[in-house]
Each structure stands twice: as structure tokens, then as C-alpha cells.
Amino acid sequence: MNQKIILYLCLLAFGIAAPFLFPAFKLQISIMWILVVLSLTWDVQGGQMGYNTFGNIMFFGLGMYICSSFQIGLFFPLAEWTASGGEKTFVHTPTQFFQGFFIGLILAAIIPAIVAAIIGYGILGLRGHYFAICTLGLGIAAGEFAGGIELVGAGQGMTSPPWPKGIGDTELRSEFFYYICFLLMVFTFLFLRWAYSTRFGLVLNAIRDNEDKAEAMGINTMRYKITGWVVSAFFVGMAGGLMGNMIGYIEPVETAFAGRTFGVFMVLMAILGGKGTLWGPVIGAIAFHIFKEGFWTFFLGWQYVALGALIVVVVIFFPEGIMGWLREKYPERFGEIIDEEDRKAQVELK
Amino acid sequence: MRPVLSVEQVYKYFGGVRANENISMQVEQGSIVGLIGPNGSGKTTLFNSIVGTHPIDKGSIKFENKEVSTLPIPVIAKLGLLRTFQQTRIYGKLNCIDNMRISAKPAKDNLFSVFSTIPVELSDKAENLLNFVGLYQKRKLRAGDLSFGQQKLLELAMALMNEPKMLLLDEPTAGINPTLINGIIDRLIKVNKEFGITLLVIEHNMRVIMSLAQKIFCLAHGELIAEGAPEKIKNDKRVINAYLGAQ
Amino acid sequence: MDLLIFQIPILMVQASLDGILLGTLFALIAYGMALQWGVMNIINIAQGELVILGGYIAYFMYVAGIHPAFGVIVSPIIMYFIGWSLYKTIIFRVVDRDLFISILATFGISILTQQLMNFIFGSDVVVAQSNFGTTFLFNYMVTLPNAKIFAAAISIIFAVLLVLYMRRSKLGRAIRATAQNARAAKILGVDTESVYAATFGINAALCGVAGSLIAITFTLHPYVGLPYTVRSFMIVIVAGLGNLPGVALSGMGLGVFEEFSDYIFGTEFRIAAVFLLLVLILVYRRFKLSRKREYLK
């Protein structure tokens, strides 16, 4: 137990000190925390509940658009902002910026969560192939729609508010966003860690293993499925809002509803790390991100080809991921000490 | 004695196939009732109709004087009417204790209890019940690693964990080691007497059902052909014909 | 106003005809998906990518100076082998495993193929000119490119040929037997592995035909595969597995829907409309089935 606390403290210390240890990689590490959030929340559906969603990216894009729209719309006419491409005619004062940022971020979490709750009843009633393809459709439809709405810049996209002048340089900006990202990641992790220890976690696993049985035992599975999706949407939406601010530019299909990048990454990271475990998605995201940042350039344009190949290979040969492999190798570390005598024992009824 | 479950003139068709036709049966509170019939006679269909797996075409099914034929599965289960499956259904990747813990009825069941913690004392209860069905030593194994017969016992224990008022058992001794069968009969009688759970049992093993049930219904070709005490059923011409295929 | 009232019936005729011609193409792709779904119980998310790949074969014939219409002969042959080798390298590993793995594996193949095409063929939108001319109807008010008529006719011919092949040939019978009960077929001496490989190959070949027709009637682009997957999925679930007239009809229905949605919402929302229709159909079916207390599984 003590070991665990020390481990957590070390990680926390690393997270806090990272921007000073690796000042050149602040943005990269911030994005890494966002990726951890994405893969953790994908795992709520894909791993714990056994519902392969390709649609969580929808909440990411939604959060991104909502956050920036409110940040701008609270103080300036949004239509003119997007029409001018965020020209320097509108400048946020520091107070306006931070007010807008926090209000936007909260709405970016709440609105996708509400959307998830509303559509959840219809969508989560689907199973298997149907659910997977339906969510795939949702994610892409959302991107196509966003690309048609003039108010948020249609296919051209929009800029998110720039860092206000007069309160420090870009260094401060990246540190600010770094800590928000880190905080979001820590909060997501702790929330899910707690949630999995409650009835919620056990019911999700029951749904994964046999949903019909869970219903026959009187569990209102739909309630848990929707709650799970709302939780995912909440954190993914917030991550989206943050990401939009960090990169400063929102494009419907490339950054917001980025099915080809983040949408794929979140699935791959969770499986790579080990779906259905708490630490798996975290490890998967970190490993994937380091690999991506470190070796991406060696692929000379073949990156996304390699990505596709990686998915196929991981899914076919390594479906249980890193955590699953560790579990197989060191079962005692996972509290799975199986007494051979117990395993072979004959059942007796006297 | 008042009937806890009353099935009245239930019809169920699958396309042109008559799975159940005009079936009426009463199950009395606290009794053990058997349901027999050759393969394909509509026993499992009737079970499915009762617990709400599919809607019935005509008739009514009342559980404790409440019409249940239009309710969804989890609601019926929450009323205290549970079933086990012929092909076992358990949560394969969870261990036995977790299988049991998730099967218990939560103290509160509303939107806010989604994140409620699972009480610690449930683990004790789970262990006791696993002991009751002889699976205590297997409690830390993954349920999916158990043999078919052991899964069957686990499923029974899971149903008991939920403290139902009535339990529908679909072939509880199928696939179970014959040396255990007497033990199971003994356990089922205990469940009935000590826990006060009404049992409706589908069973092909005549020895089991005759020594277990106080009353037996016999189905053939989707119709109810006989009902009564085991002795009476044993000697009923129509039942014998249905099983042996007389003209 | 007068003009609009005068135009609406003509627009409707135009849209319906366009839609029906387009729909036969969709139906051909959906037929392949239904075949492969029914036999192997795998939903191939890379279906659309196979279509586009088939299209590029016709396009490169066009670039090489051969008339792209011959693509309908060359492309299925090449695509059959691509499909077959895809099965032998990847798909056979996922056939009997759980849903999760087959969905994600084909999803991975889809990305892999997209990116390969993007890398090799470039990300430009390309068209293979067929120079088939145009047919005018109703006093030049309705225009139909001959290429589309050609495409629809070829689709119908291939569909009919395939149906006959499935009925008459030994392999066709083996495929149908495997679809009904793979285990029983195996016990009775059907080599299910090669049946699966052939099925996947035939599916890819159908995609190849459809792709080369798309190359001459519409446009090609490495990333437009997914809508074809979704369209064929939609057609199959509306029609049901093994219902060929249903596949043809719902394919045409989808084509007409798309043409009309183009007129009503604008072309920029076309893909969005297709995906939204998918979601609506699935959710509608889910509620319809849950009234019967069944699940869409």
C-alpha cells in the first residue's frame, strides 16, 4: 500500500516539475495529458463496458467549438470574429480572457455531457456492429455539419482567442495551459479510479461480460450506460475546449472532429495499454505519445500508414495490451494468486 | 394458499410456429412446481414470456396480482421474479465473488445510487452463499474458467444473492456431475423451505423433478396437456404418450 | 415563382433518375457487404476503401491511355486477388474471434488503405473521363450522362451474373452452405477457409467493379471511402441479409434520398445527410425492436 502512495507522489511530482525539467517540451507534454484523458475516457466505453465507440471524438470537437465560441461570444460578436479570421480588431483584456476561458471550459464540459445524455438513450440501445458503425457515423456527421455552419467559420474554421497582452510572454501561456491540462488529467484519473471502485464500475464490467444477464438480474443497464457516456463526454469535452485554446486554431475535420487523428489515437492508445484496466490507457497514451513524438519523423510521410498497420497488429496480436501482458506474466502483482488446489478442487455438496 | 404467479391463457407465436397456446397455470406461494415436456414443447418460451424476454401475443401473466406481461426485463426482475438460463449466463471475466456482489439488490436504486459503494458485508454474504452451493474454494477464480456445471451452480448462487420471491430454474441439474444431483435437490428444497423462495423448475431428469416438485405441469407441442401431483403425472397416459411418442 | 413551380417537377424527375442510377451502384457494393457479412459474420469497415482502390485501378488505366470502361473487367480481377490476400494475411485471424477484434481490425485496415492510397496516389480529387456523352430527355430538360446509365447497366449485369454463379456453381453452393451453418459445412467436407477467402475476394471484386464505375461517373479521393461503407451498411440493414431485391430497392431509395437532400440542403451537407440518415435508421430500428423487447445485435 505504501509503495502505491510513493508511486503516486512520484508521478505527481513529475507532473508538477515537468515544465521546468523539459521546458522545450511543454506543449508536447500538455498534449500527452490530453491524450491520457482521451484514452481513459474511451476506455469507459471500449474497455470497461465493451462498447466500441468511434464517436467520442464528437464530444471533443463539440467542446472545442463551444469553449471558443463562448470565450469570444461573451464579449464580442462571434460572427464578425470568425468572418475577420480573429483579426486584431477584437482583443480580450486579461480579465475577459480568463473569465471567458473558465466559463467556456465549464460549458465545454457540461454541454457535451447533456448531449450525451440526450442521444445516449437512442444510441446506447444498439449493440455490437450497430453501435460501432452508428458512433462512427455520428463523429463524421458532426464534423461535416460543423463544416457547414457559417457562424463558426464553416470549412475554414475559426481562431480561438489569443493570449491577452500585458501578462507575461508565451512561456507563461504554455505553463498556464500545461497545468490546466495536468489538472484535468489528474482529476479524470482520480474520478474514474473512484468510480470504478463503486457499483458503477462493477455494473459496467457486468454489461461487458453479459448484458442480457445483467438485465435479467434486475440491473437497469441503460442508466449505467448513459452515465458512463455522460462521464466520458464531460471530460472529453473539457479536453477539447483546452486543446482548442492551446493550438489556437479550430478546423472542423482536422482538429475538432479529428476522426483521423485523435479519434483513432484514443482507440489505439487504450488497446495498446490494455483496455478494461485503470492504468492501461494511461500507459498506452504515454507510450504512444512518446513513440509518436520520438519516431514520427523517421517515417517520412508514412506515419499514418504505420498508424493503420499498428492498429491491425495490436488488435490482432496484442488485444490485451501492455497491462494484459503484465497481468499474464505477473499475476501475483494484480492480486490474482490462484491456489492450484482451489482450482482443481472438486465441488462437493454434502 | 394464494397464487404468486398466475399465467392465464397465454399465446405465443413465432411466425407460423405455435410456441405456446392457451397456457394457464397457477403457482402457489412457497411451493415447488415442475414444468416438464419433450424438447421443443415450449417450456423455455413460457419462461421467456414470464420474465419479459419477449412480449406475448395474447393472455395475461400476473406476478403477485400485478400484470407483468408488458413490463421490461429489469423491472420484472426487480419485483422479485428471477430466472436462470439453460445455457449458463455469468460474467465470465469477473471472479466469482464479484459475480455475486453485482447480483445483490442495491439498497437504493435510483440515478444517484449509480456511484454508490458496494457494502463490505456483501462479500461475507457472497462467501456464505458460494459455500452453500459448494463453490467456496473457487471464489477467487474467474467465472469464465469454471466448468459448465460449476457455472450452473454459480448462477443459482447469484440468483439467491438477489433474494428473489420466486425463482424460475431452467434445467438446474443439466450438465452437472451425477454425484452432485442429490446435493442439488437437497439445496433446492432448503432454498424453498428456509429462504421461502417459490420455485418453478424446468427439468428433464424425472427422478429429480418427481422428488422435488409438489405439483407438475406438462407441456407438449406448446399446449398444456396435464397438471397435478407427481404421482398423477407419472401415470398420466397423455404425458407418457408425449414422451414416448405414441400415436 | 412561376419559374420555380415550372421547375420542380423536372427537378424531381432529374433527381429521381440520378438517384436510381446512383443507387444501383450503391446496391452493388451493399451486395458484396451482405455476402461477406452473411458468410463470415464480419462487418468490413474497409469496404469503402476497397471501392476507392478499385476506382484508382480504372483511373490509372485511363492515365495510361486505355479507356476506363475496361476497368470493370480489369479492376475486379486485381481486386479479387487483393481481397483474397487480405483474407489470407489479416482477416482469417479475426473471423472466429469476438466482435471487438473484427471491428477494430477492419477499421485499422481502412485507415491503412486510406493512408496508403493518399501516399501513393496523392490527395488530389481525380476523375477518369469516359467521353460517353449525355442523353437528353423531355426536350433537353433532363440530362443524363451516358456514363451513369452505363454504370447502372454494368452493376445490374454483374449482380445478375453473381446471383447465377451463386446458384449454379460448386463454389457458390459451398458459400451458401457455409453461410447457413459453417460448422455443419465443415463437417460435410466444405473447406470453409477457402470459402471464406473466396467470399472476401468476390466481395473485393464487386467493390472493384463499383469503384471503376465510380471513377468514370463521379470522383475519386483517398478519403471518401467511409461513406461507401456506411451506405452499404445502411442498405444491408434496411433490406436484411440475403434479400437481394431488397438490397437493390433500398440502394435506389438511398440514391434518390441523396439526390433530393442535395437539392434541399445543398451539396455540402450530402455526407452529413448520409451519416445522419444512418443514425436515424439505426435508432428507429432500435426503438421498433425494443417495443418487441428485442435487441439490434
Side-chain angles (χ1 to χ4, degrees), chain A residues 4 7 69 76 132 205 243 268 303 318:
Chain A
K4 251 186 188 168
L7 180 72
S69 303
F76 308 112
N205 289 162
M243 191 74 189
L268 178 63
Q303 292 99 333
F318 209 47

Side-chain angles (χ1 to χ4, degrees), chain B residues 1 4 28-32 192 196-199 214:
Chain B
M1 288 283 234
V4 60
E28 276 163 13
Q29 174 80 52
S31 61
I32 302 180
N192 179 249
I197 298 171
T198 312
L199 298 177
Q214 292 133 12

Side-chain angles (χ1 to χ4, degrees), chain A residues 283-304:
Chain A
I283 295 170
I286 294 173
F288 174 75
H289 190 67
I290 291 173
F291 172 77
K292 182 162 81 74
E293 292 301 321
F295 300 101
W296 223 218
T297 43
F298 293 120
F299 283 102
L300 299 167
W302 287 79
Q303 292 99 333
Y304 287 93

Side-chain angles (χ1 to χ4, degrees), chain B residues 51-246:
Chain B
V51 299
T53 313
H54 47 54
I56 51 176
D57 293 322
K58 237 192 323 186
S60 98
I61 298 170
K62 284 201 173 85
F63 178 67
E64 297 193 310
N65 290 323
K66 192 174 158 64
E67 182 67 39
V68 294
S69 60
T70 52
L71 297 177
I73 303 172
V75 177
I76 296 176
K78 259 183 251 172
L79 290 175
L81 180 60
L82 279 194
R83 62 129 3 138
T84 64
F85 293 86
Q86 193 175 349
Q87 296 300 320
T88 55
R89 294 191 182 174
I90 39 94
Y91 310 123
K93 285 181 189 159
L94 300 178
N95 66 24
C96 292
I97 289 279
D98 279 346
N99 266 276
M100 297 293 282
R101 290 202 305 159
I102 195 62
S103 301
K105 230 178 230 172
K108 275 185 300 194
D109 199 11
N110 54 37
L111 195 56
F112 302 103
S113 67
V114 166
F115 293 111
S116 60
T117 40
I118 296 173
V120 189
E121 38 314 347
L122 272 188
S123 301
D124 294 340
K125 192 182 164 193
E127 284 182 4
N128 284 338
L129 277 172
L130 284 174
N131 196 27
F132 179 73
V133 297
L135 287 177
Y136 181 76
Q137 276 192 299
K138 312 263 179 194
R139 66 193 183 283
K140 283 180 186 157
L141 292 181
R142 281 193 191 188
D145 295 341
L146 299 181
S147 71
F148 180 75
Q150 290 166 351
Q151 290 185 3
K152 209 110 204 185
L153 291 169
L154 175 64
E155 209 185 359
L156 175 66
M158 282 159 74
L160 296 177
M161 191 76 182
N162 201 276
E163 300 181 347
K165 290 174 186 145
M166 180 171 178
L167 195 49
L168 311 184
L169 299 168
D170 203 339
E171 301 193 17
T173 64
I176 287 185
N177 183 348
T179 57
L180 291 178
I181 285 185
N182 283 336
I184 298 224
I185 296 175
D186 174 57
R187 291 295 189 279
L188 289 179
I189 291 173
K190 230 182 214 166
V191 163
N192 179 249
K193 290 268 149 27
E194 286 173 18
F195 303 167
I197 298 171
T198 312
L199 298 177
L200 176 59
V201 186
I202 293 181
E203 188 54 71
H204 278 305
N205 187 331
M206 285 302 144
R207 186 171 68 80
V208 172
I209 200 74
M210 292 299 163
S211 54
L212 197 61
Q214 292 133 12
K215 190 179 181 185
I216 292 177
F217 293 88
C218 180
L219 293 184
H221 307 298
E223 287 172 61
L224 195 62
I225 56 165
E227 60 173 284
E231 283 309 310
K232 190 184 151 208
I233 291 290
K234 224 186 261 179
N235 302 315
D236 193 299
K237 255 231 133 56
R238 288 164 300 175
V239 177
I240 296 167
N241 283 348
Y243 268 93
L244 299 178

